Amino acid sequence: MPRRRLIAPSERNTLDPFVVATGDARPRDQRDLMERPFFSLAKARRIVPILYEAGDVRIEVLAVHEHGMATIWDADILIWAASQIVEAENLGLRTSRFLRFTPYQLLTAIGRETGAREYKLLKGALTRLQSTVIRTNIRHGENWRRHQFSWINEWEELTRADGRVEGMEFVLPDWFYRGVIDRSLVLTIDPAYFRLTGGIERWLYRVARKHAGRQSGGWLFDVPHLHEKSGSLVRVSDFALQLRRIVLRQPLPGYRLRIEREGRRELLKILPAGSSPSPVDKAVETIGTSHAGLSGFRTQEVSGLRTQRPQLSLWPETTIPALNLESNSESNILRRARDVENIQRGPSSAADKAADHTIPHTSFRKSAFTSSDTSQGSSEPRSRKPGGAS
């Protein structure tokens, strides 16, 4: 008797869709993702896993060779999803891990262009988010010790009979979704975050927002400790050089950076500058799926968060000039893997430095990068509030 192949049913068959409306939502980030190394900080493809342990916390991030690890630019998709979910919950609407949306909505919300290339790169980012595997014991259950998941369980394009794309949908993992609807685990971030071009400065802003917040005294980090928290593959000396260059530019919205020294130890002090976003602290009472009849966003009178219609038709016909093409490599592979932020490398020759200024980048987000060596930082990791508190 021939064997029948069993096909696992789609999770979407068991979830009602949370249809994202076209209104604005304040950007919000998930605390666990802000302070620990869950993403590659480089645009060159990373295969080397991230293995991080601090106290009782353990994180493993694994990538497949074909697509590489999800990057900190890919994480913008998760920030956008968290923002939409929290905005709807704030208005008393029911949400779901199953999101239905248009790529135009997502790309414009995170400051990207909306041409054919950007849609193509978006699909590469979704592919990396789905293929990256995370193992962690953060927020484990009472009788469970390790949770394994991908950032996106599954995703799909929605098309009409003529092949025109009408929208997209994906399913978030339960670990991430529950970390979003638990309001104590969510922080607002400055929309200017999406304009940060470097991987380290993006990661550093999230660390600043999580630790320094609005504390007048800010926060003090030992540079080798920051290097360990970043998951970067570069040497500590290269990482320290990157930090010094970021301090010179002062690119982080809402924060000022300062290098301090204690003997031979190099420290980075993060101080709030002016007003910064306040944390989200209102509890979420409900968890569910969307059947809302009223608006989920302040800019509309009628909701886009409904489940009456199975497909989306929210775009103008001219939004996408041509059909999207599949690409899993362009958005994460440089023509030459020279991004110092996450690729281990030796000292650069004069010819290499000259070449860095002539080679274009192909990425989901353009990134500034530099390469040079400097003195080795201290090997004693520590972070603390100024004044001695650890």
Side-chain angles (χ1 to χ4, degrees), residues 184-200:
S184 66
L185 298 177
V186 178
L187 290 174
T188 56
I189 63 173
D190 195 311
Y193 165 80
F194 297 118
R195 296 197 293 271
L196 296 176
T197 57
I200 289 181

Side-chain angles (χ1 to χ4, degrees), residues 30-36 184-185 187-189 204-215 219 221 229 255:
Q30 209 279 328
R31 286 176 180 262
D32 295 320
L33 275 60
M34 297 172 78
E35 65 169 323
R36 298 184 176 101
S184 66
L185 298 177
L187 290 174
T188 56
I189 63 173
L204 193 59
Y205 171 81
R206 300 171 87 184
V207 170
R209 180 68 187 95
K210 168 63 172 63
H211 287 283
R214 295 186 298 168
Q215 301 176 87
W219 203 270
F221 282 99
K229 284 173 69 71
Y255 294 95

Side-chain angles (χ1 to χ4, degrees), residues 17 36 41 155 188 232 318 381:
R36 298 184 176 101
L41 303 187
W155 65 277
T188 56
S232 174
T318 57

Side-chain angles (χ1 to χ4, degrees), residues 41-81:
L41 303 187
K43 294 180 180 178
R45 176 165 41 181
R46 172 169 177 166
I47 306 301
V48 179
I50 294 174
L51 304 175
Y52 174 80
E53 286 189 78
D56 296 332
V57 171
R58 179 175 176 85
I59 296 170
E60 301 175 57
V61 184
L62 309 174
V64 299
H65 187 273
E66 181 181 0
H67 306 301
M69 185 179 295
T71 71
I72 198 164
W73 293 271
D74 301 337
D76 288 358
I77 295 172
L78 300 178
I79 293 175
W80 173 82

Side-chain angles (χ1 to χ4, degrees), residues 332-374:
N332 201 36
I333 302 176
L334 303 181
R335 293 182 185 178
R336 293 175 64 186
R338 305 188 59 82
D339 189 351
V340 73
E341 290 175 353
N342 217 3
I343 299 298
Q344 192 167 8
R345 54 184 294 180
S348 301
S349 66
D352 288 339
K353 293 178 181 178
D356 284 344
H357 298 285
T358 61
I359 298 172
H361 290 246
T362 54
S363 176
F364 194 38
R365 184 75 171 176
K366 292 183 180 178
S367 172
F369 66 98
T370 54
S371 62
S372 182
D373 295 336
T374 186

Side-chain angles (χ1 to χ4, degrees), residues 127-145:
T127 298
R128 284 188 297 278
L129 289 169
Q130 184 182 19
S131 63
T132 299
V133 175
I134 299 90
R135 297 172 183 162
T136 183
N137 61 359
I138 299 174
R139 290 191 278 116
H140 56 72
E142 180 180 357
N143 298 315
W144 301 89
R145 291 295 174 264

Side-chain angles (χ1 to χ4, degrees), residues 30 32-33 38 97 134 136-140 147-149 151 172-180 185:
Q30 209 279 328
D32 295 320
L33 275 60
F38 282 104
R97 294 189 292 118
I134 299 90
T136 183
N137 61 359
I138 299 174
R139 290 191 278 116
H140 56 72
H147 202 130
Q148 179 168 314
F149 57 93
W151 294 121
L172 295 168
D174 184 71
W175 185 91
F176 177 78
Y177 179 68
R178 291 191 173 275
V180 170
L185 298 177

Side-chain angles (χ1 to χ4, degrees), residues 18 88-89 92-96 177 286-292 305:
F18 168 51
E89 295 279 0
L93 302 175
R94 298 168 71 89
T95 60
S96 168
Y177 179 68
T286 59
I287 304 173
T289 54
S290 174
H291 293 278
L305 297 125

